[in-house]
Coordinates of all heavy atoms in Angstrom, one line a residue:
M1 N -102.6 51.9 27.1 CA -103.8 51.9 28.0 C -105.0 51.9 27.2 O -105.2 52.6 26.2 CB -103.7 53.2 28.9 CG -104.9 53.4 29.7 SD -105.0 52.8 31.5 CE -103.4 52.6 32.0
R2 N -106.0 51.2 27.6 CA -107.3 51.0 26.9 C -108.2 52.2 27.2 O -108.3 52.5 28.4 CB -107.9 49.7 27.2 CG -109.1 49.3 26.5 CD -109.5 48.0 26.8 NE -110.8 47.7 26.1 CZ -111.5 46.6 26.4 NH1 -111.2 45.8 27.3 NH2 -112.6 46.4 25.8
H3 N -108.9 52.7 26.3 CA -109.9 53.8 26.5 C -111.2 53.4 26.1 O -111.4 52.6 25.1 CB -109.4 55.0 25.7 CG -108.2 55.7 26.3 ND1 -106.9 55.2 26.0 CD2 -108.0 56.8 27.1 CE1 -106.1 55.9 26.6 NE2 -106.7 56.9 27.3
L4 N -112.2 53.8 26.7 CA -113.7 53.5 26.4 C -114.5 54.7 26.4 O -114.3 55.7 27.2 CB -114.2 52.5 27.5 CG -113.4 51.2 27.7 CD1 -113.8 50.5 29.0 CD2 -113.7 50.3 26.5
W5 N -115.6 54.6 25.6 CA -116.6 55.7 25.6 C -117.5 55.5 26.8 O -117.9 54.4 27.2 CB -117.5 55.6 24.4 CG -116.9 56.2 23.1 CD1 -116.3 55.5 22.1 CD2 -116.9 57.5 22.8 NE1 -115.8 56.4 21.2 CE2 -116.2 57.6 21.5 CE3 -117.3 58.7 23.4 CZ2 -116.0 58.9 20.9 CZ3 -117.2 59.9 22.7 CH2 -116.5 60.0 21.5
V6 N -117.9 56.7 27.5 CA -118.8 56.7 28.6 C -119.8 57.7 28.4 O -119.6 58.7 27.7 CB -118.0 56.9 30.0 CG1 -117.0 55.8 30.2 CG2 -117.4 58.3 30.0
R7 N -120.9 57.6 29.1 CA -121.9 58.6 29.2 C -122.2 58.8 30.7 O -122.5 57.9 31.4 CB -123.2 58.2 28.5 CG -123.1 58.1 27.0 CD -124.5 57.9 26.4 NE -124.3 57.7 24.9 CZ -124.8 56.8 24.2 NH1 -125.7 56.0 24.7 NH2 -124.6 56.8 22.9
Y8 N -122.0 60.1 31.1 CA -122.3 60.4 32.5 C -123.7 60.5 32.8 O -124.6 60.6 31.9 CB -121.6 61.8 32.8 CG -120.0 61.7 32.8 CD1 -119.3 62.0 31.7 CD2 -119.3 61.3 33.9 CE1 -118.0 61.9 31.6 CE2 -117.9 61.2 33.9 CZ -117.2 61.5 32.7 OH -115.9 61.5 32.7
V9 N -124.1 60.6 34.1 CA -125.5 60.7 34.5 C -126.1 62.0 34.0 O -127.3 62.1 33.8 CB -125.7 60.5 36.0 CG1 -125.4 59.0 36.4 CG2 -124.9 61.5 36.8
N10 N -125.3 63.0 33.7 CA -125.8 64.3 33.2 C -125.9 64.4 31.7 O -126.3 65.4 31.1 CB -124.9 65.5 33.8 CG -123.5 65.4 33.2 OD1 -123.2 64.5 32.4 ND2 -122.7 66.3 33.7
G11 N -125.6 63.2 31.1 CA -125.8 63.2 29.6 C -124.6 63.4 28.8 O -124.6 63.3 27.6
V12 N -123.5 63.9 29.4 CA -122.3 64.2 28.7 C -121.6 62.9 28.3 O -121.4 62.0 29.1 CB -121.4 65.1 29.6 CG1 -120.0 65.4 28.9 CG2 -122.0 66.4 29.9
S13 N -121.0 62.8 27.1 CA -120.2 61.7 26.7 C -118.8 62.1 26.7 O -118.4 63.2 26.6 CB -120.6 61.3 25.2 OG -121.9 60.9 25.1
D14 N -117.9 61.0 26.9 CA -116.5 61.3 27.0 C -115.8 60.0 26.7 O -116.4 58.9 26.6 CB -116.2 61.8 28.4 CG -114.8 62.4 28.5 OD1 -114.1 62.6 27.5 OD2 -114.4 62.8 29.7
V15 N -114.4 60.1 26.5 CA -113.6 58.9 26.4 C -112.7 58.9 27.6 O -112.0 59.9 27.9 CB -112.8 58.9 25.1 CG1 -111.9 57.7 25.0 CG2 -113.7 59.0 23.9
V16 N -112.6 57.8 28.4 CA -111.8 57.7 29.6 C -110.9 56.5 29.5 O -111.3 55.5 28.8 CB -112.6 57.7 30.8 CG1 -113.4 59.0 30.9 CG2 -113.5 56.5 30.9
D17 N -109.8 56.5 30.2 CA -109.0 55.2 30.3 C -109.7 54.3 31.3 O -110.5 54.6 32.1 CB -107.6 55.5 30.7 CG -107.4 56.1 32.0 OD1 -107.9 55.5 33.0 OD2 -106.7 57.1 32.2
Q18 N -109.3 53.0 31.3 CA -109.9 51.9 32.0 C -109.8 52.2 33.5 O -110.8 51.9 34.3 CB -109.3 50.6 31.6 CG -110.2 49.4 32.1 CD -109.8 48.2 31.4 OE1 -108.9 48.1 30.5 NE2 -110.4 47.1 31.7
K19 N -108.7 52.7 34.0 CA -108.6 53.0 35.4 C -109.6 54.0 35.9 O -110.2 53.9 37.0 CB -107.2 53.4 35.8 CG -106.2 52.3 35.8 CD -104.8 52.8 36.1 CE -103.8 51.6 36.0 NZ -102.5 52.0 36.5
L20 N -109.8 55.1 35.1 CA -110.7 56.1 35.5 C -112.1 55.5 35.4 O -113.0 55.9 36.2 CB -110.6 57.3 34.6 CG -111.5 58.5 34.9 CD1 -111.4 58.9 36.3 CD2 -111.3 59.6 34.0
L21 N -112.4 54.6 34.4 CA -113.7 54.0 34.3 C -114.1 53.3 35.6 O -115.2 53.5 36.1 CB -113.7 53.0 33.2 CG -115.0 52.2 33.0 CD1 -116.2 53.0 32.5 CD2 -114.8 51.0 32.1
D22 N -113.2 52.6 36.2 CA -113.5 51.9 37.5 C -113.9 52.9 38.6 O -114.7 52.6 39.4 CB -112.3 51.0 37.9 CG -112.1 49.8 37.0 OD1 -113.0 49.4 36.3 OD2 -110.9 49.3 36.9
K23 N -113.1 54.0 38.7 CA -113.4 55.0 39.7 C -114.7 55.6 39.4 O -115.5 55.9 40.4 CB -112.3 56.0 39.7 CG -110.9 55.5 40.2 CD -109.9 56.6 40.0 CE -108.5 56.0 40.4 NZ -107.4 57.0 40.3
L24 N -115.1 55.9 38.2 CA -116.4 56.6 37.9 C -117.5 55.6 38.2 O -118.6 56.1 38.7 CB -116.4 57.0 36.4 CG -115.4 58.1 36.0 CD1 -115.4 58.3 34.5 CD2 -115.8 59.4 36.7
I25 N -117.4 54.4 38.0 CA -118.4 53.4 38.3 C -118.6 53.3 39.8 O -119.7 53.4 40.3 CB -118.1 52.0 37.7 CG1 -118.2 52.0 36.2 CG2 -119.0 50.9 38.3 CD1 -117.7 50.8 35.5
A26 N -117.5 53.3 40.6 CA -117.5 53.2 42.0 C -118.2 54.5 42.6 O -118.9 54.4 43.6 CB -116.1 53.1 42.6
R27 N -118.1 55.6 42.0 CA -118.6 56.9 42.5 C -120.0 57.1 41.9 O -120.6 58.2 42.1 CB -117.7 58.0 42.1 CG -116.4 58.1 42.9 CD -115.7 59.3 42.7 NE -114.8 59.0 41.5 CZ -113.9 59.9 41.0 NH1 -113.9 61.1 41.5 NH2 -113.1 59.6 40.0
D28 N -120.6 56.2 41.2 CA -121.9 56.3 40.6 C -122.1 57.5 39.7 O -123.1 58.2 39.7 CB -123.0 56.3 41.7 CG -123.1 55.0 42.4 OD1 -122.9 53.9 41.7 OD2 -123.4 55.0 43.6
E29 N -121.0 57.9 38.9 CA -121.0 59.0 38.1 C -121.4 58.7 36.6 O -121.6 59.7 35.9 CB -119.7 59.7 38.1 CG -119.4 60.3 39.5 CD -118.1 61.1 39.5 OE1 -117.7 61.6 38.4 OE2 -117.5 61.2 40.5
L30 N -121.5 57.4 36.3 CA -121.8 57.1 34.9 C -123.2 56.5 34.8 O -123.8 55.8 35.7 CB -120.8 56.0 34.5 CG -119.3 56.4 34.4 CD1 -118.5 55.2 33.8 CD2 -119.2 57.6 33.4
K31 N -123.8 56.7 33.6 CA -125.0 56.1 33.3 C -124.8 54.8 32.5 O -125.4 53.8 32.7 CB -125.9 57.1 32.4 CG -127.2 56.5 31.9 CD -128.0 57.5 31.1 CE -129.3 56.9 30.6 NZ -129.9 57.8 29.7
E32 N -123.8 54.9 31.6 CA -123.4 53.8 30.7 C -122.1 53.9 30.1 O -121.5 55.0 30.1 CB -124.5 53.5 29.6 CG -124.8 54.7 28.8 CD -126.0 54.5 27.9 OE1 -126.6 53.4 27.9 OE2 -126.3 55.4 27.1
F33 N -121.5 52.8 29.7 CA -120.3 52.8 28.9 C -120.3 51.8 27.8 O -121.2 50.9 27.9 CB -119.1 52.5 29.9 CG -119.0 51.1 30.5 CD1 -118.4 50.1 29.8 CD2 -119.7 50.8 31.7 CE1 -118.3 48.8 30.3 CE2 -119.7 49.5 32.2 CZ -119.0 48.6 31.6
Y34 N -119.5 52.0 26.8 CA -119.5 51.1 25.6 C -118.6 50.0 25.8 O -117.4 50.2 26.1 CB -119.1 51.9 24.4 CG -119.3 51.2 23.1 CD1 -120.6 51.0 22.6 CD2 -118.3 50.5 22.4 CE1 -120.8 50.3 21.4 CE2 -118.5 49.8 21.3 CZ -119.8 49.7 20.8 OH -120.0 49.0 19.6
R35 N -119.1 48.8 25.7 CA -118.3 47.5 25.8 C -117.9 47.0 24.4 O -118.8 46.4 23.8 CB -119.0 46.5 26.6 CG -118.2 45.2 26.9 CD -119.0 44.3 27.8 NE -118.9 44.7 29.1 CZ -119.8 44.3 30.1 NH1 -120.8 43.5 29.8 NH2 -119.7 44.7 31.3
P36 N -116.7 47.3 23.9 CA -116.4 46.9 22.5 C -116.5 45.4 22.3 O -116.8 45.0 21.2 CB -114.9 47.4 22.4 CG -114.6 48.3 23.5 CD -115.6 48.0 24.6
S37 N -116.2 44.6 23.3 CA -116.2 43.1 23.1 C -117.6 42.6 22.8 O -117.8 41.6 22.1 CB -115.7 42.4 24.4 OG -116.5 42.7 25.5
E38 N -118.6 43.3 23.1 CA -120.0 43.0 22.9 C -120.7 43.9 21.8 O -121.8 43.7 21.5 CB -120.8 42.9 24.1 CG -120.4 41.9 25.1 CD -121.2 41.9 26.4 OE1 -122.3 42.5 26.5 OE2 -120.8 41.2 27.3
S39 N -119.9 44.9 21.4 CA -120.4 46.0 20.4 C -121.8 46.6 21.0 O -122.7 46.7 20.2 CB -120.6 45.4 19.1 OG -119.4 44.8 18.6
R40 N -121.8 47.0 22.2 CA -123.0 47.5 22.8 C -122.7 48.4 24.0 O -121.7 48.3 24.6 CB -124.0 46.5 23.1 CG -123.6 45.7 24.3 CD -124.7 44.5 24.6 NE -124.5 43.9 25.9 CZ -125.1 44.3 27.1 NH1 -125.9 45.3 27.1 NH2 -124.8 43.7 28.2
W41 N -123.7 49.3 24.3 CA -123.6 50.1 25.5 C -124.1 49.2 26.7 O -125.1 48.5 26.6 CB -124.5 51.3 25.4 CG -123.8 52.3 24.4 CD1 -124.0 52.4 23.1 CD2 -122.9 53.3 24.8 NE1 -123.3 53.4 22.6 CE2 -122.6 54.0 23.6 CE3 -122.4 53.8 26.0 CZ2 -121.7 55.1 23.6 CZ3 -121.5 54.8 26.0 CH2 -121.2 55.5 24.8
V42 N -123.4 49.4 27.8 CA -123.8 48.7 29.1 C -124.4 49.7 30.0 O -123.7 50.8 30.3 CB -122.5 48.1 29.7 CG1 -122.9 47.5 31.1 CG2 -122.0 47.0 28.8
T43 N -125.6 49.5 30.5 CA -126.3 50.5 31.4 C -126.0 50.0 32.8 O -126.4 48.9 33.2 CB -127.8 50.5 31.1 OG1 -128.0 50.8 29.7 CG2 -128.5 51.5 31.9
L44 N -125.4 50.9 33.6 CA -125.1 50.6 35.0 C -126.5 50.5 35.8 O -127.3 51.3 35.6 CB -124.3 51.7 35.6 CG -122.9 51.8 34.9 CD1 -122.1 53.0 35.2 CD2 -122.1 50.6 35.2
G45 N -126.5 49.5 36.6 CA -127.7 49.2 37.4 C -128.7 48.3 36.7 O -129.7 47.9 37.3
V46 N -128.4 48.1 35.4 CA -129.3 47.2 34.6 C -128.5 46.0 34.2 O -128.9 44.8 34.3 CB -130.0 47.9 33.4 CG1 -130.8 47.0 32.6 CG2 -130.8 49.1 33.9
D47 N -127.4 46.2 33.4 CA -126.6 45.2 32.9 C -125.5 44.7 33.9 O -125.2 45.5 34.8 CB -125.9 45.6 31.6 CG -126.9 45.9 30.5 OD1 -127.7 45.1 30.2 OD2 -126.8 47.1 29.9
Q48 N -125.1 43.5 33.8 CA -124.0 43.0 34.6 C -122.7 43.7 34.2 O -122.4 43.8 33.1 CB -123.9 41.5 34.6 CG -125.0 40.8 35.3 CD -124.6 39.3 35.4 OE1 -123.8 38.8 34.7 NE2 -125.4 38.6 36.3
I49 N -121.9 44.0 35.3 CA -120.6 44.5 35.1 C -119.6 43.7 36.0 O -120.0 43.1 37.0 CB -120.4 46.0 35.3 CG1 -120.8 46.3 36.7 CG2 -121.3 46.8 34.3 CD1 -120.4 47.8 37.1
R50 N -118.4 43.7 35.6 CA -117.4 43.1 36.5 C -117.3 43.9 37.8 O -117.6 45.1 37.8 CB -116.1 42.9 35.8 CG -115.4 44.2 35.7 CD -113.9 44.0 35.3 NE -113.2 45.3 35.4 CZ -112.9 46.0 34.4 NH1 -113.2 45.6 33.2 NH2 -112.3 47.2 34.5
G51 N -116.8 43.3 38.8 CA -116.7 43.9 40.1 C -115.4 43.5 40.8 O -114.7 42.7 40.2
A52 N -115.2 44.1 41.9 CA -114.0 43.8 42.7 C -114.3 42.5 43.5 O -113.4 42.2 44.3 CB -113.7 45.0 43.6
G53 N -115.4 41.9 43.3 CA -115.7 40.7 44.1 C -116.7 41.0 45.1 O -117.2 42.1 45.3
G54 N -117.1 40.0 45.8 CA -118.1 40.2 46.9 C -118.0 39.0 47.8 O -117.1 38.2 47.7
R55 N -119.0 38.9 48.7 CA -119.0 37.8 49.6 C -119.9 36.7 48.9 O -121.0 36.9 48.6 CB -119.7 38.2 50.9 CG -118.7 38.8 51.9 CD -119.3 39.0 53.2 NE -119.8 37.8 53.8 CZ -120.7 37.7 54.7 NH1 -121.4 38.8 55.1 NH2 -121.1 36.6 55.2
Y56 N -119.2 35.6 48.8 CA -119.9 34.4 48.3 C -120.1 33.5 49.4 O -119.1 33.1 50.2 CB -119.1 33.7 47.2 CG -119.7 32.5 46.7 CD1 -120.9 32.5 45.9 CD2 -119.2 31.2 46.9 CE1 -121.5 31.4 45.4 CE2 -119.7 30.1 46.5 CZ -120.9 30.1 45.7 OH -121.5 29.0 45.3
V57 N -121.3 33.0 49.8 CA -121.6 32.2 50.9 C -121.9 30.8 50.6 O -122.1 30.0 51.5 CB -122.8 32.8 51.7 CG1 -122.4 34.1 52.3 CG2 -124.0 32.9 50.9
G58 N -121.7 30.4 49.3 CA -121.9 29.0 48.9 C -120.7 28.2 49.1 O -119.7 28.7 49.7
P59 N -120.8 26.9 48.7 CA -119.6 26.1 48.8 C -118.5 26.5 47.9 O -118.7 27.1 46.8 CB -120.1 24.7 48.3 CG -121.3 25.0 47.5 CD -121.9 26.3 48.0
D60 N -117.3 26.3 48.3 CA -116.1 26.7 47.5 C -115.9 25.7 46.4 O -115.6 24.5 46.6 CB -114.8 26.7 48.4 CG -113.6 27.2 47.7 OD1 -113.7 27.5 46.5 OD2 -112.6 27.5 48.3
R61 N -116.2 26.1 45.2 CA -116.2 25.2 44.0 C -114.8 25.0 43.6 O -114.6 24.0 42.8 CB -117.0 25.8 42.9 CG -118.4 26.0 43.3 CD -119.2 26.6 42.1 NE -118.7 27.9 41.7 CZ -119.2 29.1 41.9 NH1 -120.3 29.2 42.5 NH2 -118.6 30.2 41.5
R62 N -113.8 25.7 44.1 CA -112.4 25.4 43.6 C -111.7 24.3 44.5 O -110.7 23.8 44.1 CB -111.6 26.7 43.8 CG -112.1 27.8 42.8 CD -111.4 29.1 43.2 NE -111.9 29.4 44.5 CZ -111.5 30.5 45.2 NH1 -110.6 31.3 44.6 NH2 -112.0 30.8 46.4
F63 N -112.3 24.0 45.6 CA -111.8 23.0 46.5 C -112.1 21.6 46.0 O -113.3 21.3 45.7 CB -112.3 23.2 47.9 CG -111.8 22.2 48.9 CD1 -110.5 22.3 49.3 CD2 -112.6 21.2 49.4 CE1 -109.9 21.4 50.2 CE2 -112.0 20.3 50.3 CZ -110.8 20.4 50.7
I64 N -111.1 20.8 45.8 CA -111.3 19.4 45.3 C -111.3 18.5 46.5 O -110.2 18.4 47.1 CB -110.3 19.0 44.2 CG1 -110.4 20.0 43.0 CG2 -110.5 17.6 43.8 CD1 -109.3 19.9 42.0
R65 N -112.3 17.9 46.8 CA -112.4 16.9 47.9 C -111.8 15.6 47.4 O -112.2 15.1 46.4 CB -113.8 16.7 48.4 CG -114.3 18.0 49.1 CD -115.7 17.6 49.6 NE -116.3 18.9 50.0 CZ -116.2 19.4 51.3 NH1 -115.6 18.7 52.2 NH2 -116.8 20.5 51.6
V66 N -111.0 15.0 48.2 CA -110.4 13.7 48.0 C -111.1 12.7 48.9 O -111.0 12.9 50.1 CB -108.9 13.6 48.2 CG1 -108.3 12.3 47.9 CG2 -108.2 14.7 47.3
P67 N -111.9 11.7 48.4 CA -112.6 10.9 49.3 C -111.6 10.0 50.1 O -110.5 9.6 49.6 CB -113.4 10.1 48.3 CG -112.8 10.2 47.0 CD -112.1 11.5 47.0
E68 N -112.0 9.8 51.3 CA -111.1 8.9 52.1 C -111.5 7.5 51.7 O -112.6 7.1 51.7 CB -111.5 9.1 53.6 CG -111.1 10.4 54.1 CD -111.4 10.6 55.6 OE1 -111.4 9.6 56.3 OE2 -111.6 11.7 56.0
T69 N -110.5 6.7 51.3 CA -110.7 5.4 50.9 C -109.7 4.4 51.7 O -108.7 4.8 52.2 CB -110.3 5.2 49.4 OG1 -108.9 5.6 49.2 CG2 -111.2 6.0 48.6
Q70 N -110.2 3.2 51.7 CA -109.4 2.2 52.4 C -108.4 1.6 51.4 O -108.7 1.6 50.2 CB -110.3 1.0 52.9 CG -111.3 1.5 53.9 CD -110.6 1.8 55.2 OE1 -109.6 1.3 55.6 NE2 -111.1 2.9 55.9
P71 N -107.2 1.2 51.8 CA -106.3 0.5 50.8 C -106.9 -0.7 50.2 O -107.8 -1.4 50.8 CB -105.1 0.1 51.7 CG -105.3 0.7 53.0 CD -106.7 1.2 53.1
W72 N -106.7 -0.9 48.9 CA -107.2 -2.0 48.2 C -106.7 -3.3 48.8 O -105.5 -3.5 49.0 CB -106.8 -1.9 46.7 CG -107.3 -3.0 45.9 CD1 -106.7 -4.1 45.5 CD2 -108.6 -3.2 45.4 NE1 -107.4 -5.0 44.8 CE2 -108.7 -4.4 44.7 CE3 -109.8 -2.4 45.4 CZ2 -109.8 -4.9 44.1 CZ3 -110.9 -2.9 44.8 CH2 -110.9 -4.1 44.1
V73 N -107.6 -4.2 49.1 CA -107.2 -5.5 49.6 C -107.8 -6.6 48.6 O -109.0 -6.6 48.3 CB -107.8 -5.7 51.0 CG1 -107.5 -7.1 51.5 CG2 -107.4 -4.7 52.0
D74 N -106.9 -7.4 48.1 CA -107.3 -8.5 47.2 C -107.7 -9.7 48.0 O -106.9 -10.3 48.6 CB -106.1 -8.8 46.3 CG -106.5 -9.8 45.2 OD1 -107.7 -10.1 45.1 OD2 -105.6 -10.2 44.4
T75 N -109.0 -9.9 48.0 CA -109.6 -11.0 48.8 C -109.7 -12.3 48.0 O -110.1 -13.3 48.5 CB -110.9 -10.7 49.4 OG1 -111.8 -10.3 48.4 CG2 -110.7 -9.5 50.4
A76 N -109.4 -12.3 46.7 CA -109.6 -13.4 45.8 C -108.5 -14.5 45.9 O -108.6 -15.6 45.6 CB -109.6 -13.0 44.3
A77 N -107.4 -14.1 46.5 CA -106.2 -15.0 46.6 C -106.3 -16.0 47.8 O -106.9 -16.0 48.7 CB -104.9 -14.3 46.5

């Protein structure tokens, strides 16, 4: 299990596992956590963090539209 450094809103630092990190973020108990992949502290409410998703109201970019075409007709012959 992966563990990360966190700083609570009360200033206390700790090391927590990733599952607990998600719960603490959801409960607004953290001020920041250390993101090793970027070698920096991530401030909640300021920096982007991953989420459980949200409502996206734009076009579905995963859908591939296949244009309706007429069968090819060779008119040269």
